[in-house]
Amino acid sequence: MALTEIKRNTAYTVDIDLGADADTVLGLYEVYVSLIHDWGDTVVAETRASRVSAGLYDHSFSPSEMASSGIHKVHWRWVSGGDEFTQNDYANVTQQYIDADSFFALHEELEDEYYDYFDAVESVARGVIDTFCGQSFQFFHDKEITFDGSGTAIQVLPMRIDDLTAATLDAVDVIDSVEILPDSDWYVRCVKEGEISKFTTDQPLVITGDWGWPYVPTNVTRACDYLIEDILSNDRANYKYGVKRAWQDLSRFDFTEVIYFTTGNLDVDVLLMDYVYFTPDMV
């Protein structure tokens, strides 16, 4: 089953063909759908799907319900012949680093030939950027992450936090004792009565908030633009094979030792340098 890719903050309509109508109760068809995020929270609780025609049912999720990036499970449940059945479909909600209209406004000569393929190429360029930077520029709204107690004043986060909305320690509200570290949105620290304190080691810390990037940084958008242009112009052939120099007067190629430490475009590398994330424990 291919994974459907949906742009963030875009309405998404799902449907299911059962081949025949489901059972009814009080004239209502027993077909239900819910939406569950990959992080485990239910985005849309189970609701009755709409009948389109015999055996065909659908439901539309609103743009606000598609506000978070990541894999979403569409869970179907229906009753037929008195028996209950279920089916799961999946969609990947993504935040594009540059959209088609913005790209082709800068590269009009490429539009006629490549407009229909843009989303697929942008996805490739996005993957190159994510790998080079060690992070993705996606956004996860109102999600929670659980940490083991660190025993230190600082808790390292697995991704950037944009807004801290709740914090509990062993299920006790401690939002007033946890704050995002000033000048760094990859860490939170423990503060008690205005003084730096330490998180305990034996109590789970649950942090709820908005994670990742609610916007795409300008340099990332520019970098994506450059990479897409390279791909569409077939200007990455040597890079794909690690060729750093091709001698024109004899059959000789020099191969780089650091093929995996570059995007293949020096301008892109420079644009992204401020966004390369190094895991503190590994540096």
Side-chain angles (χ1 to χ4, degrees):
M1 177 188 298
L3 187 65
T4 302
E5 188 158 295
I6 306 297
K7 296 180 180 67
R8 194 171 76 84
N9 290 326
T10 301
Y12 176 42
T13 299
V14 295
D15 61 55
I16 187 170
D17 190 348
L18 305 180
D21 276 329
D23 293 353
T24 61
V25 173
L26 300 178
L28 299 176
Y29 291 95
E30 295 287 279
V31 181
Y32 305 92
V33 62
S34 58
L35 185 67
I36 304 166
H37 192 271
D38 189 46
W39 289 20
D41 58 303
T42 298
V43 180
V44 178
E46 187 174 83
T47 185
R48 195 182 302 272
S50 300
R51 181 179 184 271
V52 178
S53 59
L56 181 63
Y57 302 84
D58 72 3
H59 180 77
S60 293
F61 297 109
S62 69
S64 62
E65 292 168 339
M66 310 302 293
S68 289
S69 302
I71 305 297
H72 288 65
K73 178 171 69 177
V74 179
H75 180 69
W76 296 94
R77 184 178 69 86
W78 69 94
V79 180
S80 180
D83 295 324
E84 184 173 288
F85 301 89
T86 61
Q87 176 179 307
N88 294 325
D89 297 324
Y90 296 87
N92 185 24
V93 178
T94 61
Q95 179 165 258
Q96 286 191 322
Y97 296 169
I98 187 171
D99 60 47
D101 291 341
S102 298
F103 177 82
F104 289 115
L106 299 171
H107 309 281
E108 295 181 358
E109 73 283 0
L110 299 173
E111 183 171 4
D112 289 344
E113 186 174 359
Y114 295 112
Y115 190 91
D116 291 341
Y117 307 101
F118 177 83
D119 286 351
V121 177
E122 188 275 339
S123 179
V124 172
R126 187 177 352 120
V128 172
I129 290 172
D130 291 354
T131 300
F132 181 78
C133 291
Q135 64 167 310
S136 71
F137 298 88
Q138 300 300 319
F139 183 63
F140 304 87
H141 173 60
D142 194 28
K143 305 298 179 190
E144 68 175 37
I145 299 179
T146 301
F147 303 88
D148 294 330
S150 64
T152 64
I154 304 297
Q155 175 65 58
V156 180
L157 305 177
M159 64 176 63
R160 176 182 188 271
I161 186 168
D162 188 67
D163 186 29
L164 173 64
T165 58
T168 62
L169 193 61
D170 203 20
V172 176
D173 183 10
V174 292
I175 186 62
D176 294 333
S177 301
V178 179
E179 66 178 14
I180 300 174
L181 195 66
D183 302 319
S184 176
D185 39 25
W186 286 78
Y187 307 84
V188 293
R189 69 182 178 187
C190 184
V191 179
K192 294 182 180 179
E193 298 179 355
E195 300 293 331
I196 304 299
S197 184
K198 291 184 178 181
F199 295 108
T200 58
T201 57
D202 57 350
Q203 295 173 308
L205 173 66
V206 180
I207 296 178
T208 304
D210 292 338
W211 302 85
W213 298 82
Y215 60 90
V216 179
T218 300
N219 277 17
V220 175
T221 296
R222 290 174 177 168
C224 195
D225 171 76
Y226 289 170
L227 284 177
I228 293 172
E229 183 182 18
D230 282 356
I231 295 170
L232 296 184
S233 302
N234 198 27
D235 198 27
R236 293 170 57 83
N238 283 344
Y239 169 71
K240 286 194 298 183
Y241 298 102
V243 177
K244 68 177 180 181
R245 181 186 301 171
W247 298 77
Q248 300 298 315
D249 55 340
L250 69 165
S251 297
R252 172 179 170 182
F253 294 89
D254 289 349
F255 292 86
T256 178
E257 300 83 6
V258 291
I259 181 175
Y260 296 114
F261 298 96
T262 175
T263 63
N265 183 315
L266 182 59
D267 291 331
V268 170
D269 293 352
V270 172
L271 283 169
L272 296 177
M273 197 56 64
D274 287 342
Y275 299 95
V276 175
Y277 178 68
F278 300 97
T279 305
D281 292 339
M282 299 180 63
V283 175

